[in-house]
Amino acid sequence: MSNFEPNIIAFVCNWCSYAGADQAGEQKLDYPANVKLIRVMCTGRVDPQFVMNAFRGGADGVMVLGCHPGDCHYRNGNIKALRRFEIFKNMLGQFGINRERFLLDWVAAGEGQKFQKVTTEMTEKIKGLGPLVIRGYVESEVV
Amino acid sequence: MSDKPKVAFYWCASCGGCEETVVDLEEKILDVVKAIDIVFWPCAMDPKYSDLEAMDDGEIAISFINGAIRTSEQEHISKLLRKKSGVVIAFGSCAVMGGIPALANLKNKKDIFKRSYRDSPTNVNPEGVLPQTETDLDGCRLSLPEFYDTVYKLDDVIEVDYYMPGCPPTPANLETAVQAALKGELPEKGAVLLPDKSLCVSCDRNETKPDDITISRIRRLTEVQADPEECFLAQGIICMGPATRDGCEYPCVKGNMPCTGCFGPVSDADQGARMIASIGGIIDADDEGEVRDAVSAMPDPAGTFYRYSLSSSLLGKKREER
């Protein structure tokens, strides 16, 4: 599996994490091209359905990156995301999907280095886990 | 032969409750049979598959198929009914989104056979025999349908014209559909024959719901005496109302039991995702530990949120991760 290049989707919030990614760029910090960013206004807007759609659509890993607790532009959107994704992670395990394929973390606007670190670590972790194939679809099993 | 429209009912992987809905039409069934000819209904009549095979393509006006697709026989008959029918209605939650049988998608065929035929304490099976599709016995070859690894919803195997979820759909739901079909007033193909809004919209208890619900932890029904008037979610009891389609007239809630979600989600929603979004929004917990405590009374989120809709989950079925 050494040649495996994972597909990773990162939902990043407009106010902190996207700015953090921007700062990584300004500082010329490399991060893996496997990570594709989707900019959202707040992690509180990231419906668990978006994450499931990403997995179903071929993502091997999904990240949701938001403001540190207490710093949410909308007061507590990131805390709502934390509550939702804690339940979501329990459910992922029931579907036999390794919970490590999902990451919720906080990256502030000034944390370009942290952005580089979490995206690199996530990419390495998913490389180790291998590709995600969601099972139970009729196309592959009933002729 | 009468020239009344022909109707078929068929039962795949399900409990039979949907057939009960037809019986529960009570005396109204007399009006129904006045207007239609029931030509195939294995639950109540004695038709043979060869009778169905002998019919012309499209001869049956409407087929109501209930139950999920678990075996090759169910797939075969559904395909046959599709060929012989003008309109196919997926009738009941099992046909629409897998229903209760689809909870088996959190396991696989191997686990299920092992539990059912070997490990179950009531079994006597010292040789560990498992069902086979072909068996030779006394010079005869016996066959059984193949048991699939996955429970499918009906539209995974055939094209479905209309959907009527519910576990089971109510007799009123069925009557409305039959009347609409007889009058030629069925909506656009692919429609769900029920309102596209969530149960909370018409629930009586909606008025008691605070504008901003917060709950400190989820409670099991067994640990509280549920208030018969107040919104269940405000009491910390999981009620699937926010993620469930309206149309059942909420008999469970009227009986002081929370909604378990049998009518499935509204259009384009994943029931589990919608429910997580809902519950996550109201839990009063600020760090991971607190969240884990708050939801500790709910050890089985997949079984709770997809009790009737696992075959339609975006996450598919259980996979074996290395």
Side-chain angles (χ1 to χ4, degrees):
Chain A
M1 210 52 79
S2 56
N3 296 329
F4 168 57
E5 287 297 339
N7 217 341
I8 298 172
I9 300 293
F11 293 95
V12 287
C13 93
N14 180 61
W15 304 99
C16 295
S17 308
Y18 188 83
D22 216 21
Q23 207 205 40
E26 279 170 18
Q27 295 178 353
K28 310 252 187 287
L29 300 173
D30 287 342
Y31 73 90
N34 307 69
V35 179
K36 282 101 180 169
L37 302 188
I38 296 177
R39 184 184 191 174
V40 290
M41 291 308 282
C42 179
T43 49
R45 177 65 186 92
V46 184
D47 192 304
Q49 190 161 336
F50 299 174
V51 177
M52 291 188 195
N53 262 323
F55 279 129
R56 181 165 187 160
D60 304 298
V62 178
M63 311 168 78
V64 175
L65 304 177
C67 305
H68 283 270
D71 290 347
C72 177
H73 190 78
Y74 306 100
R75 208 158 60 90
N76 63 355
N78 53 355
I79 298 298
K80 288 196 169 166
L82 170 79
R83 298 167 186 164
R84 288 182 179 133
F85 289 111
E86 229 7 76
I87 307 175
F88 178 72
K89 275 192 275 182
N90 288 346
M91 204 171 83
L92 265 190
Q94 291 187 284
F95 281 91
I97 297 171
N98 194 317
R99 291 172 182 212
E100 303 270 289
R101 292 187 183 274
F102 175 80
L103 177 76
L104 173 70
D105 208 341
W106 318 123
V107 174
E111 293 183 323
Q113 281 185 338
K114 181 165 183 194
F115 180 81
Q116 181 190 39
K117 182 167 172 274
V118 291
T119 46
T120 309
E121 283 175 3
M122 182 74 172
T123 307
E124 288 310 312
K125 196 160 43 182
I126 304 296
K127 274 185 180 167
L129 287 172
L132 174 71
V133 179
I134 292 203
R135 292 186 59 231
Y137 297 135
V138 72
E139 303 89 71
S140 56
E141 291 179 52
V142 173
V143 182
Chain B
M1 287 292 278
S2 74
D3 51 6
K4 291 191 283 189
K6 293 178 180 160
V7 171
F9 294 95
Y10 189 66
W11 174 353
C12 297
S14 67
C15 67
C18 294
E19 308 277 1
E20 194 61 39
T21 290
V22 185
V23 180
D24 282 348
L25 284 172
E26 298 166 350
E27 68 277 5
K28 283 186 199 133
I29 199 161
L30 297 174
D31 298 332
V32 172
V33 283
K34 224 182 278 172
I36 61 172
D37 233 353
I38 299 177
V39 292
F40 186 76
W41 188 13
C43 172
M45 301 160 28
D46 186 27
K48 304 295 176 217
Y49 290 164
S50 55
D51 300 338
L52 189 57
E53 278 157 14
M55 289 183 197
D56 293 333
D57 288 359
E59 189 178 327
I60 300 172
I62 312 174
S63 281
F64 289 86
I65 304 181
N66 76 76
I69 305 299
R70 159 56 97 192
T71 68
S72 54
E73 181 187 25
Q74 291 154 356
E75 187 190 359
H76 171 70
I77 300 299
S78 300
K79 285 184 170 162
L80 196 55
L81 276 169
R82 171 72 272 182
K83 207 168 137 203
K84 306 291 181 189
S85 313
V87 170
V88 169
I89 299 183
F91 187 61
S93 294
C94 299
V96 175
M97 40 196 191
I100 297 277
L103 288 172
N105 283 353
L106 295 176
K107 300 278 175 194
N108 58 33
K109 177 178 171 176
K110 206 173 111 204
D111 294 340
I112 293 167
F113 273 20
K114 190 166 169 289
R115 173 72 194 167
S116 299
Y117 297 101
R118 289 186 176 159
D119 300 346
S120 176
T122 52
N123 267 346
V124 180
N125 184 7
E127 287 157 32
V129 178
L130 297 180
Q132 305 295 319
T133 51
E134 301 277 341
T135 308
D136 288 316
L137 189 73
D138 299 336
C140 297
R141 171 149 285 204
L142 305 175
S143 66
L144 275 178
E146 189 191 340
F147 185 96
Y148 293 144
D149 199 40
T150 304
V151 176
Y152 298 99
K153 53 189 173 25
L154 187 61
D155 70 3
D156 284 335
V157 297
I158 60 168
E159 198 182 330
V160 168
D161 299 303
Y162 297 103
Y163 298 85
M164 180 166 287
C167 185
T170 66
N173 296 156
L174 173 63
E175 203 199 343
T176 312
V178 172
Q179 295 300 346
L182 291 176
K183 290 184 198 145
E185 288 171 0
L186 284 170
E188 204 179 315
K189 205 175 144 175
V192 178
L193 302 174
L194 284 169
D196 200 4
K197 55 180 181 177
S198 83
L199 185 69
C200 292
V201 175
S202 59
C203 177
D204 275 346
R205 298 191 188 202
N206 204 6
E207 289 174 16
T208 70
K209 192 175 76 179
D211 287 341
D212 203 359
I213 309 183
T214 47
I215 54 175
S216 54
R217 58 184 293 266
I218 288 168
R219 290 170 201 290
R220 289 181 184 223
L221 264 180
T222 47
E223 26 172 313
V224 279
Q225 181 86 40
D227 184 299
E229 312 269 316
E230 198 192 354
C231 170
F232 281 109
L233 284 169
Q235 300 181 58
I237 299 165
I238 298 282
C239 176
M240 295 281 288
T244 302
R245 190 182 282 268
D246 196 12
C248 62
E249 297 175 32
Y250 50 103
C252 308
V253 176
K254 285 175 188 157
N256 206 19
M257 289 296 282
C259 171
T260 55
C262 79
F263 271 56
V266 293
S267 304
D268 302 325
D270 180 283
Q271 202 169 13
R274 171 82 38 116
M275 210 51 213
I276 289 176
S278 245
I279 299 291
I282 63 172
I283 286 178
D284 186 17
D286 291 341
D287 63 47
E288 286 164 36
E290 280 179 33
V291 179
R292 273 197 289 270
D293 284 349
V295 300
S296 60
M298 190 181 55
D300 176 17
T304 308
F305 299 151
Y306 291 113
R307 186 173 297 177
Y308 306 90
S309 61
L310 226 146
S311 289
S312 64
S313 164
L314 286 167
L315 293 177
K317 69 166 291 184
K318 187 178 180 188
R319 69 189 293 277
E320 316 300 325
E321 186 103 45
R322 283 181 305 123

